[in-house]
Amino acid sequence: MNSSRHYVIDFDSTFTQVEALDVLGEISLENQPDKDERLQELKSLTDRGMGGELALRESLSLRLDLLKANKNHLAPLIDVLKGKISTSFVRNEAFFEENSDHIYIVSNGFKEFIVPIVKELGIKEENVFANTFVFDDEGKIIGFDKENVLSSNNGKVEQLKALDLKGDVYVIGDGYTDYEIKAAGLANKFYAFTENIERDKVTEKADHITPSLDEFLYVHKMNKAISYPKNRIKVLLLENVHPDALQIMKNEGYNVSLQTGAMDEDELAEQIKDVSVLGIRSKTQLTKKVLDNANRLIAVGAFCIGTNQIDLEECLKKGIAVFNAPYSNTRSVVELAIGEIILLMRNLPDKIAKMHEGNWDKSASHSYEVRGKKLGIVGYGNIGAQLSVMAESIGFDVYYYDLVEKLALGNATKCNSLKELLQTVDIVSLHVDGRKENKNLIGEKQFKEMKDGVIFLNLSRGHVVDIEALKNNINSGKVNGAGIDVFPSEPKTNKENFESSLKGLPNVILTPHIGGSTEEAQENIGNFVPGKIIEYINTGSTTNSVNFPNLQLPILENAHRLIHIHHNKPGIIAHINRVLAANDINIVGQHLKTNETIGYVITDIDKAYNIEVVKELKEIKDTIKFRILY
C-alpha cells in the first residue's frame, strides 16, 4: 500500500455494471403501461448526462421525474446492485481492503443506494461522496439536495477541491464528469473504465483506457487477483470462425480481432508477432516460419477436427498448446457422406444437371438402392464409427479398416488389411487423419484392387488421394461415382478460383470442404474450442490438447499457480523445487506430465513470490516457457 496515493472511483457503470437509476426505473415503473418508453427516455438522459451533453442538475431532475420512485423501491434496488458489482472489482477485493483509507467513491448518484453497495468491498462510509434524495411524507422521491455540490455541473471538481487530497490522485470512471477532475488539475491521471460501457467522448480524453481493474493494478504494479490483465491477451481469429467464439473470448475480456479469410505464410508471420491466442480452420498453414515470429503465442485453437495444417512438433518445442474440436462436427460429416452415397448410387448428379439443361432422362439404368450394399470405411475414428452406426441403420453392410485396433460397432465387420476392404465393398469412404504417411494412401494400385463400378468418397484430407489416378479411374468406368470434399490444393478465400482435373467428370460431386460446415457444427466448435483455451489460460488444464501432455486441474483459491514448460530432461522438477525451497516457499500442490518432447509442471504455492523467484525459474536450463497464472 502506498499512503501517498489516493484513488477516486465513480459508482454507476464503474463500481457497478449498471446505472443505478436505470435499474430503479425497472423496479418503480414495473406496472406502468408506458414503462418501456419511460425507460428508453431514462437511458437517453443518462447517456447525454454522462457524455457531457446535458447539464447534470437538469439530467437528475428529468430522470427522477420519470422514475416515480418511492423509498420502498430502494431495498430491492440494493439487492439487485449487490449482484451487479463489476466483475474485476469483486475479483480484486484485496485492493479495496489494503487501500480502504485512500479509496473515495465520488458520484453524481445517491448515497442511499451507494453506501450499502460499496461497503460490500470494505469502502468506508465517510469516504463516499454522493447526492441524497428528498422524500415527501409518503416516502415518494420528489427531488434531491440541491445544496450538494455533486448535484451540479463541475460538482466532482468542487468535491475534490474540498477533499484537498495530498499526494498522487488517480481517477477511475466511465463518464465525462470523471475526466473533468483531471482537466481541473486535481488528479495525476484519468483512467477511462470500459469494462461495462465505453463512451467515445470519454475514452478520447483519457490518459489510459482500462478495460478492467486488473489493467489499472497491473500498470501500477499493485497486488492483483490475476498476474496479467486479460485485455492484454490479444486473440486473432481467422477464416470466419463462428460468432460464438468471438463473443465468448470478448466476454472473457480478451482483445479479439477477426478476419474472414485465411492469411498466407508471409502475412501471418507479420501479423502473429504480438498475438497470444490464434484461432484458425483448415486453410491457414501454421508453419515453422510463422511460429518463429510468434514470440507471445501461448495457445492455438483449430476450429475443426484436423490439425495437419499446424506444425504440432514446432508448437510443442516452443511451448504452444494446440486445441481442436475432435467431436463437434462429426454428425455433419456423416450426414453429408450418407447423402452423397445415396445421390451417387442413384446417378443423380448427372440427372440433376440434365434437368437444368432441359433434358428429361427418366430411366432406372445405373440407379440402385443402398440397402444390402457393402460400405467400406477406411479410418474408424469418431467420424468413421458414427458413419458405421448410421449406415447400418438404413441397411448397409458395413466393413471397416483402421491401423489401430478398434472395437466394431453394431454388426460392422473388421478387415485385416486395406486391400481386403477394397476388394470386398461396393462403396469406399475415407475418414483418415492428415498425417504425412497418409499422402496418396489411395492411388492407382488401390483403385485396381477395388470392385468395378465402385462408389468412392473422400471427406477426410485432400492429400490422401492421388487425384490423377482418381480421374483416370472415373473416365475408365472403374469408379462409377465419386464425392470429393477435400483437395490437395484449395483456395484460401471464397474469392479465389477453384481448379481441379475432376471438374466436369460424370457422376461426380465436388464440394468446397464443407463436410463439417453446418450451422450446428460451427456453433458447437465455436463454443468448444474457446472453452478449452480459456480453461488452459485460467487454470493450466490441457485436457484435449493435441500436442501437450493432458492435465486436468481445478481452479485454485488463496494460493498462486506457476506453470513451467521445459524440454523433457531429467532433474528439472528438482531444480524448480530447490528454487522454491531456497526462497522459503511452501508447495501446496504439484502436477507433472511429460511426453517425448516436453515436461509440463504446475506448481501451486501458498505465499506471494517476488521478482527474483520468477527470474530464477525462468533461467532454469531447458526452460521453454514460464507463466504465472495468479
Side-chain angles (χ1 to χ4, degrees):
M1 185 181 73
N2 189 332
S3 60
S4 65
R5 287 181 178 179
H6 303 279
Y7 309 97
V8 176
I9 302 175
D10 182 37
F11 181 77
D12 290 295
S13 295
T14 297
F15 197 95
T16 59
Q17 301 167 27
V18 292
E19 291 284 331
L21 290 185
D22 291 351
V23 179
L24 181 57
E26 292 278 357
I27 296 168
S28 66
L29 299 171
E30 179 60 36
N31 298 314
Q32 298 296 318
D34 58 349
K35 173 186 173 182
D36 291 342
E37 292 84 351
R38 283 177 178 262
L39 288 177
Q40 189 57 45
E41 189 176 349
L42 186 69
K43 186 178 184 306
S44 174
L45 289 169
T46 300
D47 289 341
R48 288 170 64 194
M50 290 299 99
E53 299 173 19
L54 190 66
L56 180 61
R57 192 163 285 180
E58 182 183 0
S59 171
L60 282 176
S61 295
L62 290 170
R63 282 187 283 167
L64 291 182
D65 187 53
L66 277 171
L67 286 171
K68 306 298 182 188
N70 189 285
K71 186 179 287 186
N72 295 334
H73 295 133
L74 295 179
L77 169 64
I78 289 165
D79 285 341
V80 172
L81 293 180
K82 282 181 178 179
K84 293 290 184 179
I85 298 174
S86 293
T87 304
S88 66
F89 279 44
V90 175
R91 184 164 58 235
N92 290 286
E93 188 173 358
F95 161 72
F96 295 96
E97 292 173 356
E98 293 171 9
N99 297 278
S100 60
D101 290 334
H102 302 278
I103 294 176
Y104 306 85
I105 302 298
V106 179
S107 171
N108 299 120
F110 292 84
K111 272 191 176 184
E112 284 85 353
F113 55 74
I114 292 176
V115 170
I117 304 306
V118 300
K119 286 173 79 172
E120 294 283 306
L121 293 186
I123 292 173
K124 297 179 177 181
E125 183 172 353
E126 59 266 30
N127 284 1
V128 177
F129 300 91
N131 287 299
T132 53
F133 289 122
V134 173
F135 303 93
D136 68 10
D137 293 340
E138 296 177 348
K140 293 178 183 177
I141 298 173
I142 57 173
F144 51 89
D145 178 9
K146 294 183 180 178
E147 298 300 314
N148 190 326
V149 294
L150 287 166
S151 70
S152 60
N153 274 21
N154 229 31
K156 288 188 177 182
V157 170
E158 295 305 315
Q159 184 63 70
L160 262 291
K161 285 179 181 177
L163 283 173
D164 192 26
L165 300 174
K166 305 298 183 185
D168 296 329
V169 177
Y170 302 108
V171 178
I172 304 172
D174 66 283
Y176 194 85
T177 56
D178 303 304
Y179 157 71
E180 287 177 334
I181 299 171
K182 162 68 190 308
L186 297 169
N188 298 65
K189 286 187 177 181
F190 165 56
Y191 293 82
F193 187 77
T194 60
E195 183 173 320
N196 305 311
I197 191 168
E198 186 169 342
R199 297 182 170 95
D200 291 342
K201 288 186 178 180
V202 178
T203 55
E204 66 188 19
K205 298 287 189 181
D207 296 293
H208 192 94
I209 296 172
T210 178
S212 66
L213 187 59
D214 306 300
E215 170 71 11
F216 177 83
L217 299 179
Y218 180 82
V219 168
H220 288 280
K221 298 181 172 61
M222 299 177 72
N223 183 22
K224 51 197 175 296
I226 57 176
S227 61
Y228 193 72
K230 291 182 179 180
N231 59 278
R232 290 182 175 240
I233 296 176
K234 186 173 181 181
V235 178
L236 176 60
L237 300 177
L238 304 180
E239 302 187 64
N240 204 27
V241 302
H242 196 274
D244 279 7
L246 176 69
Q247 199 56 52
I248 289 168
M249 291 190 154
K250 278 191 171 181
N251 289 346
E252 188 66 13
Y254 301 147
N255 178 2
V256 188
S257 56
L258 184 71
Q259 179 164 312
T260 55
M263 290 183 182
D264 62 29
E265 188 178 53
D266 289 338
E267 185 181 6
L268 186 55
E270 180 61 32
Q271 293 295 322
I272 205 169
K273 288 178 180 177
D274 60 347
V275 170
S276 298
V277 176
L278 177 68
I280 62 173
R281 293 174 70 186
S282 56
K283 293 176 184 176
T284 299
Q285 299 298 309
L286 194 54
T287 62
K288 183 178 186 304
K289 177 181 175 180
V290 173
L291 291 167
D292 282 342
N293 283 300
N295 301 320
R296 302 177 67 88
L297 195 64
I298 59 175
V300 174
F303 286 76
C304 50
I305 293 177
T307 54
N308 59 299
Q309 73 277 33
I310 300 168
D311 189 333
L312 294 177
E313 190 61 32
E314 195 63 30
C315 283
L316 194 57
K317 290 176 183 176
K318 295 181 182 298
I320 301 165
V322 179
F323 299 88
N324 70 338
Y327 317 109
S328 299
N329 66 2
T330 301
R331 175 76 184 201
S332 299
V333 178
V334 168
E335 287 188 4
L336 183 63
I338 293 286
E340 290 197 354
I341 291 168
I342 293 171
L343 287 169
L344 294 166
M345 290 289 288
R346 298 291 292 270
N347 199 29
L348 286 178
D350 289 352
K351 289 190 179 337
I352 291 168
K354 286 180 179 179
M355 288 292 285
H356 280 285
E357 293 168 357
N359 296 324
W360 185 269
D361 181 16
K362 178 175 168 58
S363 168
S365 178
H366 303 297
S367 183
Y368 306 96
E369 290 184 354
V370 298
R371 181 174 49 178
K373 300 302 184 294
K374 295 176 180 177
L375 169 63
I377 300 172
V378 182
Y380 209 61
N382 299 319
I383 294 174
Q386 188 166 142
L387 174 60
S388 172
V389 173
M390 191 180 292
E392 187 178 317
S393 72
I394 59 173
F396 283 98
D397 292 335
V398 178
Y399 295 77
Y400 73 92
Y401 169 71
D402 199 298
L403 285 173
V404 179
E405 186 67 30
K406 295 288 180 68
L407 179 67
L409 299 178
N411 295 312
T413 302
K414 177 180 179 255
C415 294
N416 294 315
S417 68
L418 178 59
K419 181 177 180 180
E420 179 188 342
L421 180 138
L422 298 178
Q423 291 175 337
T424 304
V425 301
D426 306 304
I427 304 117
V428 175
S429 189
L430 304 185
H431 300 284
V432 298
D433 61 32
R435 70 186 70 181
K436 294 176 183 177
E437 294 81 2
N438 283 336
K439 184 174 182 181
N440 290 341
L441 176 70
I442 304 296
E444 192 60 55
K445 175 187 173 186
Q446 287 72 33
F447 283 116
K448 284 181 180 177
E449 291 168 347
M450 297 179 195
K451 286 183 177 182
D452 290 343
V454 69
I455 298 294
F456 180 79
L457 267 72
N458 182 19
L459 277 68
S460 60
R461 290 291 174 266
H463 69 271
V464 304
V465 176
D466 181 337
I467 294 296
E468 290 306 309
L470 173 58
K471 174 187 172 183
N472 294 336
N473 281 275
I474 293 171
N475 285 329
S476 72
K478 177 78 175 185
V479 174
N480 192 42
I484 308 298
D485 185 52
V486 288
F487 304 87
S489 176
E490 298 179 357
K492 286 186 169 58
T493 69
N494 289 343
K495 294 179 181 178
E496 292 183 28
N497 287 331
F498 165 69
E499 296 297 334
S500 174
S501 56
L502 300 178
K503 286 163 63 175
L505 296 180
N507 203 29
V508 170
I509 299 172
L510 302 180
T511 49
H513 203 147
I514 54 168
S517 296
T518 61
E519 290 290 343
E520 294 87 347
Q522 293 309 305
E523 183 177 352
N524 289 339
I525 293 169
N527 282 269
F528 182 85
V529 176
K532 291 301 170 186
I533 291 172
I534 290 167
E535 187 179 21
Y536 172 62
I537 292 173
N538 287 352
T539 73
S541 290
T542 53
T543 311
N544 288 111
S545 172
V546 295
N547 65 334
F548 261 48
N550 276 208
L551 269 177
Q552 179 67 46
L553 296 159
I555 294 174
L556 187 67
E557 293 183 1
N558 302 318
H560 300 282
R561 176 164 286 171
L562 313 177
I563 289 182
H564 193 275
I565 305 167
H566 56 269
H567 297 295
N568 189 5
K569 301 288 179 65
I572 292 181
I573 194 166
H575 198 158
I576 291 170
N577 292 345
R578 281 197 298 272
V579 169
L580 297 175
N583 287 274
D584 195 30
I585 294 174
N586 183 50
I587 295 173
V588 176
Q590 197 165 49
H591 311 268
L592 167 66
K593 203 83 178 277
T594 63
N595 60 23
E596 292 179 357
T597 306
I598 69 164
Y600 185 62
V601 182
I602 307 289
T603 305
D604 298 336
I605 60 177
D606 66 355
K607 65 178 287 187
Y609 45 83
N610 60 44
I611 196 69
E612 285 305 313
V613 173
V614 172
K615 185 179 177 184
E616 286 182 56
L617 291 171
K618 285 182 176 180
E619 290 177 351
I620 292 174
K621 187 180 178 184
D622 289 310
T623 296
I624 298 172
K625 263 190 173 69
F626 176 80
R627 191 159 65 96
I628 303 163
L629 287 192
Y630 33 76

